[in-house]
Coordinates of all heavy atoms in Angstrom, one line a residue:
E160 N 104.6 118.4 82.4 CA 105.6 118.0 83.5 C 104.8 117.9 84.8 O 105.2 117.0 85.6 CB 106.6 119.1 83.6 CG 107.6 119.1 82.4 CD 108.8 120.0 82.6 OE1 108.7 120.9 83.5 OE2 109.8 119.9 81.9
T161 N 103.8 118.7 85.0 CA 103.0 118.5 86.2 C 102.4 117.1 86.3 O 102.4 116.4 87.3 CB 101.9 119.6 86.3 OG1 102.5 120.9 86.4 CG2 101.0 119.4 87.6
T162 N 101.7 116.7 85.2 CA 101.1 115.4 85.1 C 102.2 114.3 85.2 O 102.0 113.3 86.0 CB 100.4 115.2 83.8 OG1 99.4 116.3 83.6 CG2 99.6 113.9 83.7
F163 N 103.3 114.5 84.5 CA 104.4 113.4 84.5 C 104.9 113.2 85.9 O 105.0 112.0 86.4 CB 105.5 113.9 83.6 CG 106.7 113.0 83.6 CD1 106.6 111.7 83.0 CD2 107.9 113.4 84.2 CE1 107.7 110.9 83.0 CE2 109.0 112.6 84.2 CZ 108.9 111.3 83.6
F164 N 105.2 114.3 86.6 CA 105.8 114.1 88.0 C 104.8 113.6 89.0 O 105.1 113.0 90.0 CB 106.5 115.4 88.4 CG 107.8 115.7 87.7 CD1 107.9 116.7 86.7 CD2 108.9 114.9 87.9 CE1 109.1 116.9 86.1 CE2 110.1 115.1 87.3 CZ 110.2 116.1 86.3
N165 N 103.5 114.0 88.8 CA 102.5 113.4 89.6 C 102.3 111.9 89.4 O 102.1 111.2 90.4 CB 101.1 114.1 89.3 CG 101.0 115.5 89.9 OD1 101.8 115.9 90.8 ND2 100.1 116.3 89.4
M166 N 102.5 111.5 88.2 CA 102.4 110.0 87.9 C 103.6 109.3 88.5 O 103.5 108.2 89.1 CB 102.4 109.8 86.4 CG 101.1 110.3 85.7 SD 101.2 110.1 83.9 CE 100.8 108.4 83.7
L167 N 104.8 110.0 88.5 CA 106.0 109.4 89.2 C 105.8 109.3 90.7 O 106.1 108.3 91.3 CB 107.2 110.2 88.9 CG 107.8 110.2 87.4 CD1 109.1 111.0 87.4 CD2 108.0 108.8 86.9
N168 N 105.2 110.3 91.2 CA 104.9 110.3 92.7 C 103.9 109.2 93.0 O 104.0 108.5 94.0 CB 104.3 111.6 93.1 CG 105.4 112.7 93.2 OD1 106.5 112.4 93.3 ND2 104.9 113.9 93.0
L169 N 102.9 109.0 92.1 CA 101.9 107.9 92.3 C 102.6 106.5 92.2 O 102.3 105.6 93.0 CB 100.8 108.0 91.3 CG 99.7 107.0 91.4 CD1 99.0 107.0 92.7 CD2 98.6 107.2 90.3
L170 N 103.5 106.4 91.3 CA 104.3 105.1 91.2 C 105.1 104.8 92.4 O 105.1 103.7 92.9 CB 105.2 105.2 90.0 CG 105.9 103.9 89.7 CD1 105.0 102.8 89.2 CD2 107.0 104.1 88.6
Q171 N 105.7 105.9 92.9 CA 106.5 105.7 94.2 C 105.6 105.4 95.4 O 105.9 104.6 96.2 CB 107.2 107.1 94.5 CG 108.1 107.0 95.7 CD 109.2 106.0 95.5 OE1 109.9 105.9 94.5 NE2 109.4 105.2 96.6
E172 N 104.4 106.0 95.4 CA 103.4 105.6 96.4 C 103.0 104.2 96.4 O 102.8 103.5 97.4 CB 102.2 106.6 96.3 CG 101.2 106.4 97.4 CD 100.1 107.4 97.3 OE1 100.2 108.4 96.6 OE2 99.0 107.2 97.9
I173 N 102.8 103.7 95.1 CA 102.4 102.3 95.0 C 103.5 101.4 95.5 O 103.2 100.4 96.2 CB 102.1 102.0 93.5 CG1 100.8 102.6 93.1 CG2 102.1 100.5 93.2 CD1 100.5 102.5 91.6
V174 N 104.8 101.7 95.2 CA 105.9 100.9 95.6 C 106.0 100.9 97.2 O 106.2 99.9 97.8 CB 107.2 101.4 95.0 CG1 108.4 100.7 95.6 CG2 107.2 101.2 93.5
N175 N 105.8 102.1 97.7 CA 105.9 102.2 99.2 C 104.8 101.4 99.9 O 105.1 101.0 101.0 CB 105.9 103.7 99.6 CG 107.1 104.5 99.2 OD1 108.1 103.9 98.9 ND2 106.9 105.8 99.1
N176 N 103.7 101.3 99.3 CA 102.6 100.6 99.9 C 102.5 99.1 99.6 O 101.6 98.4 100.1 CB 101.2 101.3 99.4 CG 101.0 102.7 100.0 OD1 101.5 103.0 101.0 ND2 100.3 103.5 99.2
L177 N 103.5 98.6 98.9 CA 103.5 97.2 98.6 C 103.8 96.5 100.0 O 104.6 96.9 100.8 CB 104.6 96.8 97.6 CG 104.4 97.1 96.2 CD1 105.6 96.8 95.3 CD2 103.2 96.3 95.6
S178 N 103.1 95.4 100.2 CA 103.2 94.6 101.4 C 103.0 93.1 101.1 O 102.0 92.8 100.4 CB 102.3 95.1 102.5 OG 102.4 94.4 103.6
H179 N 103.8 92.3 101.6 CA 103.6 90.8 101.4 C 103.9 90.1 102.7 O 104.9 90.3 103.4 CB 104.6 90.4 100.3 CG 104.6 88.9 100.1 ND1 103.5 88.3 99.5 CD2 105.4 87.9 100.3 CE1 103.7 87.0 99.3 NE2 104.9 86.7 99.9
K180 N 102.9 89.2 103.0 CA 103.1 88.4 104.2 C 103.2 86.9 103.8 O 102.4 86.5 103.0 CB 101.8 88.6 105.1 CG 101.9 87.7 106.4 CD 100.7 88.0 107.3 CE 100.8 87.2 108.6 NZ 99.6 87.4 109.4
D181 N 104.2 86.3 104.2 CA 104.5 84.9 103.8 C 104.7 84.1 105.1 O 105.5 84.4 106.0 CB 105.8 84.9 102.9 CG 105.9 83.6 102.1 OD1 104.9 82.8 102.2 OD2 106.9 83.5 101.5
V182 N 104.0 82.9 105.2 CA 104.2 82.0 106.3 C 104.7 80.7 105.7 O 104.1 80.1 104.9 CB 102.9 81.8 107.0 CG1 103.1 80.8 108.2 CG2 102.3 83.1 107.5
K183 N 105.9 80.3 106.2 CA 106.5 79.0 105.8 C 106.6 78.0 107.0 O 107.0 78.4 108.1 CB 107.9 79.3 105.2 CG 107.8 80.1 103.9 CD 109.2 80.2 103.3 CE 109.1 81.0 102.0 NZ 110.5 81.2 101.4
Y184 N 106.2 76.8 106.7 CA 106.3 75.8 107.7 C 107.6 75.1 107.7 O 108.0 74.5 106.7 CB 105.2 74.8 107.5 CG 105.2 73.7 108.6 CD1 104.9 74.0 109.9 CD2 105.5 72.4 108.3 CE1 104.9 73.0 110.9 CE2 105.5 71.4 109.2 CZ 105.2 71.7 110.5 OH 105.2 70.7 111.5
I185 N 108.4 75.2 108.8 CA 109.7 74.6 108.9 C 109.5 73.2 109.5 O 109.3 73.1 110.8 CB 110.7 75.4 109.7 CG1 110.6 76.9 109.2 CG2 112.1 74.9 109.6 CD1 111.0 77.0 107.7
I186 N 109.6 72.1 108.7 CA 109.3 70.8 109.3 C 110.3 70.4 110.3 O 110.0 69.8 111.4 CB 109.3 69.8 108.1 CG1 108.1 70.0 107.2 CG2 109.3 68.3 108.6 CD1 108.0 69.1 106.0

């Protein structure tokens, strides 16, 4: 359970750190 919940926390950390920058040209 210690390992399992640590892995869940790591997954949550990955999600929180997701970042996407998108630049669109509006003609």
Side-chain angles (χ1 to χ4, degrees):
E160 291 188 343
T161 299
T162 304
F163 174 72
F164 287 108
N165 283 339
M166 294 175 80
L167 291 185
N168 289 334
L169 181 57
L170 184 69
Q171 183 62 47
E172 185 177 339
I173 287 174
V174 171
N175 292 338
N176 290 332
L177 285 175
S178 179
H179 178 68
K180 182 178 181 180
D181 197 7
V182 179
K183 295 184 178 182
Y184 180 68
I185 312 300
I186 292 179

